[in-house]
Amino acid sequence: DAMVIQNPRYQVTQFGKPVTLSCSQTLNHNVMYWYQQKSSQAPKLLFHYYDKDFNNEADTPDNFQSRRPNTSFCFLDIRSPGLGDAAMYLCATSRARESYDEQFFGPGTRLTVL
Amino acid sequence: GENVEQHPSTLSVQEGDSAVIKCTYSDSASNYFPWYKQELGKGPQLIIDIRSNVGEKKDQRIAVTLNKTAKHFSLHITETQPEDSAVYFCAARMDSSYKLIFGSGTRLLVRP
């Protein structure tokens, strides 16, 4: 089945220690998104790639970076995680960026910062 | 910018009863309204969506209604089952926009 895969499902890191989260997709979609979801809150868009074009949201901290080496993979890098960065990180994809294009979400990676 | 408000924040119903979740949006340019179901420890999954040129859409036990004049849309779940228990998010997106604006979520509990 075509899907969005996130690894690892659970990640524990130390305060200030860089961490990378991974997302892959078999849908061959052009767009890949990264969301941050804190407990009992709605997902918050951090940034997205449209093909190789990176689009950052205005309020995304500089501590968060992303890489998309090819169509299938996208990475979220947190350069110096703080306690406030503990959250569920969701990857999503869509065929295009048109308003009717469905976004398909992965299962998420739960990040714990010690 | 667009803002989406969702009510109630929690909803408890008896199995077999109906559940209704309501959302309002602020920008009349919004034209796509998906509903997502998020189970514990999982990512959101699209369960139904509606476009602005349609007033109602139904898929088995789930239906969504849209009132463009009032700028609100609702999710209706009939004959609820325990497996319907989850957090439900509404969202809105404007024409030619990539960005989904989510509501704050409703935690639905279906009591057996």
Side-chain angles (χ1 to χ4, degrees), chain B residues 16-36:
Chain B
D17 288 349
S18 295
V20 181
I21 303 170
K22 298 181 179 182
C23 289
T24 60
Y25 60 98
S26 59
D27 198 321
S28 56
S30 290
N31 66 348
Y32 176 65
F33 307 92
W35 284 89
Y36 286 87

Side-chain angles (χ1 to χ4, degrees), chain A:
Chain A
D1 286 341
M3 55 181 14
V4 181
I5 302 162
Q6 291 189 244
N7 285 304
R9 295 294 313 279
Y10 301 91
Q11 176 73 57
V12 180
T13 191
Q14 291 181 332
F15 182 93
K17 185 175 181 180
V19 66
T20 295
L21 309 182
S22 171
C23 177
S24 64
Q25 54 126 343
T26 60
L27 297 160
N28 202 33
H29 281 172
N30 294 312
V31 192
M32 295 186 78
Y33 307 81
W34 279 105
Y35 288 85
Q36 179 192 64
Q37 186 179 28
K38 296 190 174 180
S39 182
S40 301
Q41 295 184 20
K44 177 180 180 295
L45 183 64
L46 295 174
F47 29 58
H48 76 278
Y49 272 95
Y50 183 73
D51 286 336
K52 296 180 181 179
D53 181 29
F54 178 71
N55 297 268
N56 200 26
E57 293 301 301
D59 56 355
T60 298
D62 292 340
N63 199 25
F64 292 86
Q65 305 284 323
S66 186
R67 295 170 284 134
R68 188 179 186 186
N70 54 53
T71 301
S72 301
F73 284 87
C74 194
F75 300 99
L76 170 62
D77 300 308
I78 308 176
R79 292 192 298 188
S80 181
L83 298 179
D85 297 327
M88 175 79 88
Y89 289 88
L90 297 164
C91 175
T93 73
S94 65
R95 182 188 59 82
R97 288 190 302 192
E98 301 306 316
S99 58
Y100 299 149
D101 282 310
E102 179 182 348
Q103 289 191 18
F104 294 82
F105 284 83
T109 294
R110 182 164 298 282
L111 178 68
T112 299
V113 182
L114 300 177

Side-chain angles (χ1 to χ4, degrees), chain B residues 3-70:
Chain B
N3 182 52
V4 178
E5 293 189 359
Q6 183 172 347
H7 300 280
S9 57
T10 59
L11 179 60
S12 180
V13 300
Q14 194 70 38
E15 182 178 359
D17 288 349
S18 295
V20 181
I21 303 170
K22 298 181 179 182
C23 289
T24 60
Y25 60 98
S26 59
D27 198 321
S28 56
S30 290
N31 66 348
Y32 176 65
F33 307 92
W35 284 89
Y36 286 87
K37 175 184 181 182
Q38 187 172 25
E39 296 177 277
L40 194 62
K42 297 183 179 180
Q45 299 297 312
L46 181 73
I47 55 171
I48 196 166
D49 57 12
I50 192 167
R51 302 185 183 189
S52 59
N53 58 350
V54 176
E56 184 175 358
K57 184 176 177 181
K58 190 173 181 181
D59 182 5
Q60 299 183 337
R61 296 185 298 109
I62 294 173
V64 57
T65 58
L66 171 65
N67 183 328
K68 285 197 301 181
T69 303

